[in-house]
Amino acid sequence: MPTIFGKSLALAGIALCVLFGGQALALETPGGPVILTVTGDIANTNAPGEARFDRAMLLALPQHETATHTPWHDGRVVFSGPLGRDLLDAVGARGSELRVTALNDYASSIPVSDFRQHDVILAMSADGKRLRIRDQGPLFVIYPFDDEPDLLNETVMTRSVWQLSRIDVR
Ligand SMILES: Nc1nc2c(c(=O)[nH]1)N[C@H]1C(S)=C(S)[C@@H](COP(=O)(O)O)O[C@H]1N2
Ligand SMILES: [Mo]
């Protein structure tokens, strides 16, 4: 009977929330090359003090598409990748500031509120093609500039980190 099944599911959901609410959740261990390491004020880790992600783990998060122009691309590009806020939830981030670092040691700060208020993605592909390091991948922080033109300012440009490799939650 659908109703009983539905109620059982709801009860199971409540039980899971009671069991895991606010507590550490297990993150799987990456099997492939680690492309993103998250440290700092996080609840969920898979290495001492760190949450490490390979490409498959990031692709296992819900994928979001952002079609937009950027100052760094010709024409409109359809980017896809996980939402920043879904990544923060996956690691159980509790801070308010993200210290982000790129492969070229470029560093910037992104307020957690940006990820909560805007659909910012960690783009892994552009127009269906995987972003390689030479394409400013494997992860490029993409804000929805076309949907929210006010984002196209110098501050947000400094937060548009390409070749993102580390996030320290503070
Ligand atoms: N990985 C990485 N991302 C980066 C940068 C960088 O040097 N490395 N520069 C940032 C800054 S300060 C701005 S304004 C823009 C610079 O874009 P431009 O060099 O194409 O003008 O990208 C941002 N993202
Ligand atoms: Mo800049």
Side-chain angles (χ1 to χ4, degrees):
M1 277 213 316
T3 41
I4 290 176
F5 183 62
K7 277 179 187 161
S8 313
L9 267 184
L11 283 176
I14 291 166
L16 279 174
C17 289
V18 171
L19 275 174
F20 294 110
Q23 287 182 36
L25 272 173
L27 264 185
E28 67 175 290
T29 307
V34 174
I35 60 173
L36 178 67
T37 302
V38 187
T39 56
D41 197 355
I42 58 176
N44 310 330
T45 58
N46 55 14
E50 296 187 350
R52 298 175 180 167
F53 292 85
D54 62 11
R55 186 175 170 80
M57 290 167 69
L58 293 172
L59 284 172
L61 294 172
Q63 301 295 295
H64 183 90
E65 278 193 355
T66 298
T68 189
H69 293 75
T70 85
W72 312 283
H73 300 85
D74 293 325
R76 194 189 71 142
V77 176
V78 179
F79 297 94
S80 89
L83 284 163
R85 59 175 166 273
D86 286 342
L87 179 90
L88 294 184
D89 291 344
V91 300
R94 290 172 295 216
S96 58
E97 196 72 19
L98 307 173
R99 191 74 193 149
V100 295
T101 316
L103 292 175
N104 66 345
D105 286 340
Y106 174 80
S108 182
S109 262
I110 300 177
V112 166
S113 55
D114 273 19
F115 283 9
R116 296 280 167 209
Q117 288 164 14
H118 308 283
D119 290 341
V120 184
I121 65 171
L122 309 185
M124 305 177 69
S125 69
D127 290 333
K129 291 187 71 180
R130 186 170 74 90
L131 289 173
R132 302 162 298 177
I133 290 175
R134 73 190 72 173
D135 308 312
Q136 298 168 304
L139 295 169
F140 196 143
V141 177
I142 295 288
Y143 283 73
F145 296 112
D146 282 14
D147 291 340
E148 299 181 62
D150 288 353
L151 290 173
L152 200 54
N153 58 65
E154 180 61 28
T155 303
V156 170
M157 278 164 66
T158 66
R159 298 173 183 166
S160 300
V161 177
W162 57 80
Q163 296 176 337
L164 171 71
S165 63
R166 297 185 73 89
I167 298 176
D168 188 38
V169 182
R170 304 188 174 184

